[in-house]
Structures are given as structure tokens and as C-alpha cells.
Amino acid sequence: MTVQQPGGARIRVGSAPDSWGVWFPDDPQQVPWPRFLDEVSAAGYEWIELGPYGYLPPDPARLADELAARGLRVSAGTVFEHLHRPDAWNDVWRQVGDVATLTAAMGGTHVVVIPDVWRDHRTGEAIEPRELTAEAWARLAAGVDRLGRAVQEEYGLSIAFHPHADSHVGRQPDIERFLAETDPRYVPLCLDTGHVSYYGGDNLDLIRRFPERIGYLHLKQVDPAVIERVHAEDVPFPQAVQLGAMIEPPHGVPDLPPLLEEVDRLGLDVFAIVEHDLYPCPPDVPLPIAQRTHRLIGSCGLPSLQIGRPRTPVAEQA
């Protein structure tokens, strides 16, 4: 559930493997996990997500040692769901079990739940219809309610549902419908600022109208010029990323300081995890972006921001 602090907001800023171009458990185009941990720590972040299960060591004792050596802590794990499909529960719950077990062992508090995309994540080919039927919407809402409740009861964690480009819950009307049809006791929203803006949604409007549903944040921006081309040509999300749809702040939209100020004003207690979809990317690209983004967010001057400090002198790019 969303937590409101009696004494004001707490916004704990972190980053994720995604910002290092990591989308899959194992892929030769991705940086090795020790380099990710070294660099995310050097950039100054204290909180990370696990990323795709199996990218970081799944053994709790080993992972705990690796994190402790770098001053890092885990906020959340991530799973994809397809609960709009009939008989999907057992498959989704099996994936959740692995991720939730490791997340809880690392002291994390959330499982970020992303709806499966209707186009293949690697090839961009359509694998199911773009729109859900009324029956599929009902299965999705009931299934995610069940998932949120089960994760609370079995693991003591909260889910955070993450609308996503090329999924059935991506556009703002879809997000609003999803919120209306799910139970706020079990289904907080992971507001990914980039994915909302990908379809022209209004992040500030969502925060202001649904403050009780904002349980987690992903901070990213999109390039409006690239997004215009993406929609005009119906470019699949993986190819949109390769075109530069996601862009380093402050060069895109939405403007992040007003969003953080609104969260601060509402007194929300949330993680705000910086993400920058980069897959695939050269290995030397992510760290300078992470350093500059850390500095940018830290300069907002909000007392609620808990962002950490760079730990190791690492050469920066201007």
C-alpha cells in the first residue's frame, strides 16, 4: 500500500540494471553484473532493483555479500505477468516466488509487476491482439488483485503495478481503467514517468488525482521527436529504444523536478528508481549518464530526497 509520512515525504532514489542496458538474465550485449554493481555504487546510488531474475547472483548469501561490499541495498525485484490470459496463474506465481523470495531475503519491500507486451520484446512482432476484450480486462484486474494479496500474505512484500509501452496497460485511459478495476489495498501503482509520457500521458495529473495509488516511482524521460516518429510509423518498443526514445534527463519529458516536488508536497513515502532504457548499448555509455542524472536529481534541493553520495572517484564525462 502507499504510505504517507506524518512528518512529510521520503523519496529514496536509486537505480536499476535497466540503466546499464540490462533487459535479460544473460546476454552478451549486456555489461557483466559485477561491473553494474561497481558503477551504480560509484555513481552514488544506495538502492537498486534486482533486474531480470538471474542477472544478479540468485544465491542470497552471495548477493548479500556483494551488495554489502559496495554499500548497496535492494528496493525491489521485477516480474512480468500475463494474467489477462486464461489459466495463467500458476506460471506467473512460479516466477513471482523466485523473485519475491530473493527480494525479501535482501530486505527489499516491493515486487514491480509489469504486464507482458503484446509484441515480442526481442523482435517486436505481434504475438497477440493490441487491445484486451472485456473478459480479458476482468481476468487481468482479478488476477492482479489476487497477486497483490498473495504477495503480501506469503512474502510480506507489496507489488507495484508498472504500466508499460506495447502492453495493454500503457495509455493513460488504460491506466485509469486499471486503477478503477483493482483494489487499492493490494495494487499500488509503479508510476514510470517515461512510459506514461511515451503515450502522451500526464504524470502530474496521475499523481494529483490518484495520490493514494502511487506506491513506487520509476524516473525516466522520453525524446518527443523520437516518440512522434515511433507513433507515426508504429515502431515496436525495442526498436524505439534503439532509436533513442528514452533520453537522458533533462533533455526530454516529463520535467522531473515538478514531479518530485508534487510527491514531496503530498507527503508520499516512495522509492524513486532511475531507469534509462538503453538495450543494447556500448559498455562505457551508462556510467557517465548515471553520474550526471544523480547530480541532476540531487540538485532539486528537496529535503525529502535521500539519494546518497558518489563513493569512488570515477572520471566523468561533461
Side-chain angles (χ1 to χ4, degrees):
M1 297 176 63
T2 302
V3 178
Q4 291 184 292
Q5 291 286 94
R10 179 172 62 163
I11 305 173
R12 289 175 284 181
V13 180
S15 192
D18 182 57
S19 293
W20 268 256
V22 176
W23 279 11
F24 305 103
D26 183 30
D27 189 296
Q29 297 185 87
Q30 298 174 169
V31 298
W33 65 264
R35 179 170 181 175
F36 160 67
L37 292 181
D38 288 342
E39 292 187 352
V40 73
S41 175
Y45 296 106
E46 297 177 357
W47 294 95
I48 63 165
E49 292 181 352
L50 295 175
Y53 182 78
Y55 173 67
L56 296 178
D59 176 67
R62 183 184 182 193
L63 182 56
D65 288 344
E66 297 286 355
L67 297 176
R70 298 169 174 86
L72 296 171
R73 292 182 284 176
V74 168
S75 62
T78 303
V79 298
F80 281 81
E81 62 79 23
H82 46 276
L83 293 168
H84 64 284
R85 301 174 193 160
D87 304 319
W89 174 262
N90 288 341
D91 181 50
V92 172
W93 184 244
R94 184 168 53 251
Q95 297 174 54
V96 169
D98 290 335
V99 172
T101 297
L102 185 58
T103 301
M106 294 302 101
T109 56
H110 287 75
V111 175
V112 176
V113 176
I114 303 175
D116 267 345
V117 291
W118 58 268
R119 293 198 264 207
D120 184 87
H121 219 48
R122 288 184 183 270
T123 68
E125 295 181 4
I127 54 178
E128 61 183 348
R130 188 185 295 250
E131 303 292 338
L132 291 180
T133 64
E135 293 79 9
W137 265 107
R139 282 194 297 268
L140 173 64
V144 177
D145 278 349
R146 180 184 177 188
L147 185 65
R149 181 171 182 172
V151 168
Q152 284 187 27
E153 293 176 347
E154 296 291 328
Y155 298 100
L157 306 175
S158 172
I159 71 166
F161 188 85
H162 179 314
H164 197 283
D166 273 2
S167 81
H168 297 107
V169 188
R171 294 172 173 81
Q172 187 157 337
D174 300 324
I175 297 171
E176 294 177 6
R177 178 174 180 175
F178 177 82
L179 293 177
E181 296 185 13
T182 52
D183 191 331
R185 296 176 297 172
Y186 306 122
V187 188
L189 182 70
C190 171
L191 184 73
D192 185 301
T193 61
H195 282 275
V196 170
S197 294
Y198 190 92
Y199 290 118
D202 188 332
N203 285 276
L204 275 174
D205 177 63
L206 289 169
I207 294 172
R208 288 167 178 163
R209 289 200 293 124
F210 304 100
E212 73 286 353
R213 301 303 292 271
I214 307 299
Y216 202 90
L217 299 172
H218 279 173
L219 303 179
K220 64 166 68 111
Q221 290 189 330
V222 298
D223 184 329
V226 175
I227 290 298
E228 183 178 1
R229 175 185 171 187
V230 164
H231 296 316
E233 300 177 10
D234 197 24
V235 176
F237 180 68
Q239 285 70 44
V241 168
Q242 293 173 30
L243 290 173
M246 303 302 179
I247 192 169
E248 176 185 348
H251 305 301
V253 296
D255 193 13
L256 296 180
L259 292 173
L260 294 170
E261 289 167 8
E262 189 67 21
V263 171
D264 178 83
R265 187 185 70 81
L266 292 171
L268 299 183
D269 179 9
V270 294
F271 285 105
I273 303 301
V274 175
E275 282 198 326
H276 187 168
D277 293 308
L278 287 170
Y279 179 86
C281 69
D284 293 333
V285 166
L287 177 58
I289 294 174
Q291 291 170 320
R292 293 190 292 267
T293 304
H294 183 279
R295 187 164 58 244
L296 174 70
I297 294 175
S299 71
C300 289
L302 295 173
S304 60
L305 279 177
Q306 299 179 8
I307 191 170
R309 297 176 180 274
R311 296 177 180 82
T312 308
V314 179
E316 296 190 31
Q317 295 182 11

